């Protein structure tokens, strides 16, 4: 459910783009993200930093797109966000000796420190690559292709990455006891 909740503004952006164009879609994405932040604040009392960062970036870059009537700004927005995520992951690990991926996942799985570090770096590399891939698609293909890629391509890449990540850490997951199944 959280995955769908996180995709909510992107899905609304996609639908609005298909019916009304890039500028309406941009306004819809800004409003949807602000609505997400308000909803989370009311429901949970605290808004995650990543959601707040996303809200600031969509408002700034989306606002520039609307004010200047230039879609370039909204096309840069995902790349900037991905690169900030990557920088946050790496800076946290290298300079503050904190591992954000561990903080997010350690309640679900216990992993050795070196695996947590590798996982954190892998996510940082993914976000870095996604930033460049987004710009490549945005500036080498049609706007329609970019919007489709933003929803389906990026989501597909992340889903594939999560599957690879799960395969990588599966050997550290607890195994079911085969003896209990035989009875």
């Amino acid at each position: 459910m959280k995955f769908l909740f996180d995709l909510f503004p992107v899905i609304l952006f996609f639908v609005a783009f298909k019916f009304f164009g890039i500028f309406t879609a941009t306004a819809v994405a800004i409003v949807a993200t602000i609505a997400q932040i308000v909803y989370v604040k009311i429901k949970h009392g605290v808004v995650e930093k990543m959601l707040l960062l996303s809200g600031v970036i969509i408002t700034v870059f989306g606002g520039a797109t609307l004010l200047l009537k230039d879609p370039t700004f909204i096309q840069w927005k995902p790349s900037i966000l991905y690169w900030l995520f990557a920088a946050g992951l790496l800076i946290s690990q290298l300079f503050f000796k904190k591992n954000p991926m561990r903080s997010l996942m350690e309640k679900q799985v216990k992993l050795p420190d070196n695996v947590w570090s590798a996982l954190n770096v892998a996510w940082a590399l993914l976000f870095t690559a996604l930033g460049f891939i987004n710009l490549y698609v945005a500036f080498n293909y049609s706007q329609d292709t970019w919007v489709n890629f933003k929803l389906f391509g990026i989501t597909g890449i992340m889903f594939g990455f999560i599957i690879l990540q799960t395969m990588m850490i599966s050997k550290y997951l607890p195994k079911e006891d085969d003896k209990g199944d035989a009875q």
Side-chain angles (χ1 to χ4, degrees):
M1 286 305 291
K2 180 163 176 15
F3 183 69
L4 288 176
F5 181 76
D6 290 345
L7 275 179
F8 174 69
V10 177
I11 294 167
L12 291 180
F13 177 89
F14 175 81
V15 171
F17 175 81
K18 294 298 181 182
F19 288 101
F20 304 106
I22 192 73
F23 299 113
T24 300
T26 300
V28 166
I30 293 169
V31 171
T33 304
I34 292 169
Q36 261 186 326
I37 292 168
V38 170
Y39 173 80
V40 169
K41 179 68 175 167
I42 291 169
K43 181 153 176 136
H44 302 289
V46 177
V47 180
E48 294 175 355
K49 290 176 186 172
M50 285 176 38
L51 181 55
L52 285 174
L53 177 64
S54 182
V56 168
I57 290 174
I58 186 67
T59 302
V60 169
F61 284 81
T65 288
L66 296 175
L67 288 172
L68 301 173
K69 299 288 187 209
D70 184 352
T72 302
F73 295 100
I74 198 67
Q75 291 173 311
W76 270 89
K77 179 255 169 198
S79 295
I80 299 299
L81 187 63
Y82 295 143
W83 292 335
L84 286 172
F85 286 166
L89 291 170
L90 292 175
I91 289 168
S92 293
Q93 184 169 325
L94 295 173
F95 297 107
F96 299 106
K97 306 299 181 214
K98 296 192 182 210
N99 187 314
M101 295 311 298
R102 182 181 205 151
S103 297
L104 286 172
M105 297 173 53
E106 71 182 335
K107 290 181 182 168
Q108 290 83 18
V109 63
K110 303 293 179 213
L111 300 172
D113 289 341
N114 65 322
V115 175
W116 281 120
S117 293
L119 202 58
N120 198 63
V121 169
W123 275 96
L125 291 173
L126 173 70
F127 284 130
T128 301
L130 286 176
F132 287 110
I133 294 167
N134 173 68
L135 291 179
Y136 178 79
V137 173
F139 296 111
N140 288 288
Y141 294 93
S142 70
Q143 199 172 72
D144 192 56
T145 299
W146 173 73
V147 170
N148 290 334
F149 176 76
K150 189 170 149 41
L151 177 59
F152 301 111
I154 298 276
T155 303
I157 291 169
M158 291 187 94
F159 187 67
F161 183 82
I162 290 168
I163 290 171
L164 289 172
Q165 168 189 288
T166 303
M167 290 168 51
M168 181 185 119
I169 66 173
S170 66
K171 65 182 175 182
Y172 300 101
L173 299 176
K175 306 285 186 253
E176 289 189 33
D177 187 7
D178 292 336
K179 294 175 191 172
D181 294 339
Q183 295 177 359

